[in-house]
Short mmCIF file of all heavy atoms in Angstrom, two decimals:
data_model
loop_
_atom_site.label_atom_id
_atom_site.label_comp_id
_atom_site.label_asym_id
_atom_site.label_seq_id
_atom_site.Cartn_x
_atom_site.Cartn_y
_atom_site.Cartn_z
N ILE A 69 -119.19 -123.80 36.01
CA ILE A 69 -120.33 -124.27 36.79
C ILE A 69 -119.88 -125.15 37.95
O ILE A 69 -119.24 -126.19 37.76
CB ILE A 69 -121.31 -125.06 35.90
CG1 ILE A 69 -121.73 -124.21 34.69
CG2 ILE A 69 -122.53 -125.53 36.68
CD1 ILE A 69 -122.51 -122.96 35.03
N GLU A 70 -120.24 -124.73 39.16
CA GLU A 70 -119.87 -125.51 40.33
C GLU A 70 -120.56 -126.87 40.29
O GLU A 70 -121.70 -126.99 39.85
CB GLU A 70 -120.29 -124.73 41.59
CG GLU A 70 -119.44 -123.46 41.76
CD GLU A 70 -120.08 -122.42 42.67
OE1 GLU A 70 -121.22 -122.60 43.08
OE2 GLU A 70 -119.39 -121.41 42.94
N GLU A 71 -119.85 -127.89 40.71
CA GLU A 71 -120.36 -129.26 40.81
C GLU A 71 -120.66 -129.93 39.46
O GLU A 71 -121.32 -130.95 39.42
CB GLU A 71 -121.63 -129.33 41.67
CG GLU A 71 -121.39 -128.90 43.11
CD GLU A 71 -122.67 -128.99 43.94
OE1 GLU A 71 -123.55 -128.13 43.78
OE2 GLU A 71 -122.76 -129.94 44.74
N ALA A 72 -120.20 -129.34 38.34
CA ALA A 72 -120.47 -129.98 37.05
C ALA A 72 -119.45 -131.07 36.74
O ALA A 72 -119.73 -131.99 36.00
CB ALA A 72 -120.48 -128.94 35.93
N ILE A 73 -118.25 -130.94 37.32
CA ILE A 73 -117.19 -131.91 37.04
C ILE A 73 -116.75 -132.60 38.33
O ILE A 73 -116.47 -131.93 39.33
CB ILE A 73 -115.99 -131.23 36.33
CG1 ILE A 73 -116.46 -130.64 34.98
CG2 ILE A 73 -114.84 -132.23 36.13
CD1 ILE A 73 -115.37 -130.02 34.14
N LEU A 74 -116.74 -133.93 38.29
CA LEU A 74 -116.35 -134.70 39.48
C LEU A 74 -114.99 -135.34 39.26
O LEU A 74 -114.62 -135.67 38.13
CB LEU A 74 -117.38 -135.81 39.72
CG LEU A 74 -118.85 -135.42 39.77
CD1 LEU A 74 -119.71 -136.65 40.10
CD2 LEU A 74 -119.11 -134.31 40.78
N ASP A 75 -114.26 -135.50 40.36
CA ASP A 75 -112.97 -136.20 40.24
C ASP A 75 -113.21 -137.72 40.30
O ASP A 75 -114.36 -138.16 40.39
CB ASP A 75 -111.99 -135.72 41.32
CG ASP A 75 -112.42 -136.06 42.73
OD1 ASP A 75 -113.30 -136.94 42.89
OD2 ASP A 75 -111.90 -135.45 43.68
N ALA A 76 -112.11 -138.48 40.23
CA ALA A 76 -112.25 -139.94 40.14
C ALA A 76 -113.00 -140.52 41.34
O ALA A 76 -113.67 -141.55 41.23
CB ALA A 76 -110.87 -140.57 40.01
N SER A 77 -112.94 -139.84 42.49
CA SER A 77 -113.62 -140.37 43.67
C SER A 77 -115.08 -139.92 43.73
O SER A 77 -115.80 -140.26 44.66
CB SER A 77 -112.89 -139.88 44.94
OG SER A 77 -113.16 -138.51 45.14
N GLY A 78 -115.52 -139.12 42.75
CA GLY A 78 -116.91 -138.68 42.72
C GLY A 78 -117.16 -137.37 43.44
O GLY A 78 -118.29 -136.93 43.57
N ALA A 79 -116.11 -136.71 43.91
CA ALA A 79 -116.29 -135.42 44.59
C ALA A 79 -116.20 -134.28 43.57
O ALA A 79 -115.44 -134.35 42.61
CB ALA A 79 -115.19 -135.24 45.65
N ALA A 80 -116.99 -133.23 43.81
CA ALA A 80 -116.98 -132.09 42.90
C ALA A 80 -115.62 -131.39 42.97
O ALA A 80 -115.14 -131.07 44.04
CB ALA A 80 -118.07 -131.10 43.28
N VAL A 81 -114.98 -131.20 41.81
CA VAL A 81 -113.71 -130.48 41.79
C VAL A 81 -113.93 -129.02 42.18
O VAL A 81 -113.11 -128.42 42.87
CB VAL A 81 -113.04 -130.56 40.40
CG1 VAL A 81 -111.65 -129.92 40.44
CG2 VAL A 81 -112.94 -132.00 39.91
N ASN A 82 -115.06 -128.46 41.74
CA ASN A 82 -115.39 -127.08 42.09
C ASN A 82 -116.66 -127.06 42.95
O ASN A 82 -117.77 -127.01 42.44
CB ASN A 82 -115.62 -126.25 40.82
CG ASN A 82 -114.38 -126.21 39.94
OD1 ASN A 82 -113.32 -125.81 40.37
ND2 ASN A 82 -114.53 -126.65 38.69
N PRO A 83 -116.49 -127.14 44.28
CA PRO A 83 -117.67 -127.24 45.15
C PRO A 83 -118.46 -125.92 45.21
O PRO A 83 -117.96 -124.89 44.77
CB PRO A 83 -117.05 -127.58 46.52
CG PRO A 83 -115.64 -127.14 46.45
CD PRO A 83 -115.22 -127.21 45.02
N PRO A 84 -119.70 -125.97 45.74
CA PRO A 84 -120.55 -124.77 45.79
C PRO A 84 -119.83 -123.58 46.43
O PRO A 84 -119.17 -123.74 47.45
CB PRO A 84 -121.73 -125.21 46.66
CG PRO A 84 -121.79 -126.68 46.51
CD PRO A 84 -120.37 -127.14 46.31
N GLY A 85 -119.93 -122.44 45.80
CA GLY A 85 -119.32 -121.22 46.34
C GLY A 85 -117.91 -121.00 45.85
O GLY A 85 -117.40 -119.88 45.91
N SER A 86 -117.26 -122.03 45.31
CA SER A 86 -115.84 -121.89 44.98
C SER A 86 -115.61 -121.05 43.72
O SER A 86 -114.55 -120.46 43.56
CB SER A 86 -115.20 -123.27 44.80
OG SER A 86 -115.77 -123.95 43.68
N LEU A 87 -116.58 -120.98 42.82
CA LEU A 87 -116.38 -120.23 41.58
C LEU A 87 -117.12 -118.90 41.57
O LEU A 87 -116.61 -117.89 41.08
CB LEU A 87 -116.83 -121.06 40.37
CG LEU A 87 -116.10 -122.38 40.17
CD1 LEU A 87 -116.59 -123.05 38.90
CD2 LEU A 87 -114.59 -122.16 40.11
N THR A 88 -118.34 -118.89 42.09
CA THR A 88 -119.12 -117.65 42.07
C THR A 88 -118.76 -116.75 43.24
O THR A 88 -119.00 -115.55 43.20
CB THR A 88 -120.62 -117.95 42.18
OG1 THR A 88 -120.83 -118.66 43.40
CG2 THR A 88 -121.11 -118.78 41.01
N GLY A 89 -118.23 -117.35 44.32
CA GLY A 89 -117.97 -116.57 45.53
C GLY A 89 -119.23 -116.37 46.36
O GLY A 89 -119.20 -115.69 47.39
N ILE A 90 -120.36 -116.95 45.92
CA ILE A 90 -121.59 -116.80 46.70
C ILE A 90 -121.61 -117.86 47.79
O ILE A 90 -121.59 -119.05 47.49
CB ILE A 90 -122.84 -116.98 45.82
CG1 ILE A 90 -122.80 -116.03 44.62
CG2 ILE A 90 -124.12 -116.80 46.63
CD1 ILE A 90 -123.89 -116.29 43.58
N PRO A 91 -121.62 -117.47 49.08
CA PRO A 91 -121.68 -118.48 50.14
C PRO A 91 -122.94 -119.32 49.97
O PRO A 91 -124.01 -118.76 49.74
CB PRO A 91 -121.75 -117.65 51.43
CG PRO A 91 -121.31 -116.27 51.04
CD PRO A 91 -121.63 -116.10 49.59
N PRO A 92 -122.83 -120.66 50.03
CA PRO A 92 -123.98 -121.53 49.80
C PRO A 92 -125.20 -121.17 50.64
O PRO A 92 -126.33 -121.25 50.16
CB PRO A 92 -123.45 -122.93 50.14
CG PRO A 92 -121.97 -122.83 49.92
CD PRO A 92 -121.59 -121.42 50.25
N GLU A 93 -124.97 -120.72 51.91
CA GLU A 93 -126.15 -120.41 52.73
C GLU A 93 -126.87 -119.17 52.21
O GLU A 93 -128.08 -119.08 52.24
CB GLU A 93 -125.84 -120.33 54.22
CG GLU A 93 -124.76 -119.41 54.75
CD GLU A 93 -123.30 -119.68 54.35
OE1 GLU A 93 -123.00 -120.74 53.70
OE2 GLU A 93 -122.46 -118.83 54.66
N LYS A 94 -126.12 -118.24 51.63
CA LYS A 94 -126.73 -117.04 51.02
C LYS A 94 -127.59 -117.45 49.83
O LYS A 94 -128.69 -116.93 49.62
CB LYS A 94 -125.63 -116.10 50.51
CG LYS A 94 -125.20 -115.07 51.51
CD LYS A 94 -126.01 -113.79 51.27
CE LYS A 94 -125.53 -112.66 52.16
NZ LYS A 94 -126.49 -111.55 52.14
N MET A 95 -127.07 -118.35 49.03
CA MET A 95 -127.78 -118.84 47.86
C MET A 95 -129.06 -119.52 48.28
O MET A 95 -130.14 -119.25 47.73
CB MET A 95 -126.86 -119.80 47.09
CG MET A 95 -127.37 -120.21 45.75
SD MET A 95 -127.74 -118.80 44.69
CE MET A 95 -126.99 -119.32 43.18
N ALA A 96 -128.97 -120.38 49.30
CA ALA A 96 -130.13 -121.11 49.77
C ALA A 96 -131.19 -120.14 50.27
O ALA A 96 -132.39 -120.27 49.98
CB ALA A 96 -129.73 -122.10 50.86
N ALA A 97 -130.76 -119.11 51.00
CA ALA A 97 -131.71 -118.14 51.55
C ALA A 97 -132.40 -117.38 50.42
O ALA A 97 -133.61 -117.15 50.46
CB ALA A 97 -130.98 -117.16 52.48
N ALA A 98 -131.63 -117.01 49.39
CA ALA A 98 -132.22 -116.27 48.27
C ALA A 98 -133.25 -117.12 47.54
O ALA A 98 -134.32 -116.64 47.18
CB ALA A 98 -131.12 -115.81 47.31
N ILE A 99 -132.93 -118.40 47.36
CA ILE A 99 -133.88 -119.29 46.66
C ILE A 99 -135.17 -119.43 47.47
O ILE A 99 -136.27 -119.32 46.94
CB ILE A 99 -133.22 -120.67 46.38
CG1 ILE A 99 -132.12 -120.49 45.33
CG2 ILE A 99 -134.26 -121.70 45.93
CD1 ILE A 99 -131.24 -121.70 45.13
N ARG A 100 -135.01 -119.61 48.80
CA ARG A 100 -136.21 -119.69 49.66
C ARG A 100 -137.05 -118.43 49.55
O ARG A 100 -138.26 -118.47 49.40
CB ARG A 100 -135.80 -119.88 51.12
CG ARG A 100 -135.63 -121.34 51.53
CD ARG A 100 -135.63 -121.49 53.06
NE ARG A 100 -134.66 -120.60 53.74
CZ ARG A 100 -133.37 -120.88 53.87
NH1 ARG A 100 -132.87 -122.00 53.37
NH2 ARG A 100 -132.56 -120.04 54.51
N GLU A 101 -136.37 -117.30 49.56
CA GLU A 101 -137.07 -116.01 49.53
C GLU A 101 -137.83 -115.84 48.21
O GLU A 101 -138.98 -115.40 48.19
CB GLU A 101 -136.05 -114.88 49.74
CG GLU A 101 -136.64 -113.55 50.14
CD GLU A 101 -136.76 -112.60 48.97
OE1 GLU A 101 -135.85 -112.57 48.11
OE2 GLU A 101 -137.78 -111.89 48.90
N ILE A 102 -137.20 -116.22 47.12
CA ILE A 102 -137.84 -116.07 45.80
C ILE A 102 -139.04 -117.01 45.68
O ILE A 102 -140.10 -116.64 45.19
CB ILE A 102 -136.81 -116.33 44.68
CG1 ILE A 102 -135.81 -115.18 44.63
CG2 ILE A 102 -137.50 -116.47 43.32
CD1 ILE A 102 -134.56 -115.46 43.82
N GLN A 103 -138.86 -118.24 46.18
CA GLN A 103 -139.96 -119.20 46.06
C GLN A 103 -141.16 -118.82 46.93
O GLN A 103 -142.29 -119.18 46.60
CB GLN A 103 -139.46 -120.61 46.40
CG GLN A 103 -138.78 -121.23 45.19
CD GLN A 103 -137.98 -122.47 45.53
OE1 GLN A 103 -137.83 -122.81 46.70
NE2 GLN A 103 -137.45 -123.13 44.52
N ALA A 104 -140.91 -118.07 47.99
CA ALA A 104 -142.00 -117.69 48.89
C ALA A 104 -142.84 -116.55 48.32
O ALA A 104 -143.92 -116.24 48.82
CB ALA A 104 -141.42 -117.30 50.25
#
Side-chain angles (χ1 to χ4, degrees):
Chain A
I69 305 296
E70 292 160 354
E71 298 180 285
I73 299 184
L74 309 183
D75 65 17
S77 73
V81 185
N82 299 303
S86 64
L87 299 183
T88 58
I90 305 171
E93 55 295 353
K94 268 266 186 193
M95 189 55 135
I99 291 170
R100 271 197 308 278
E101 197 260 321
I102 289 166
Q103 278 166 354

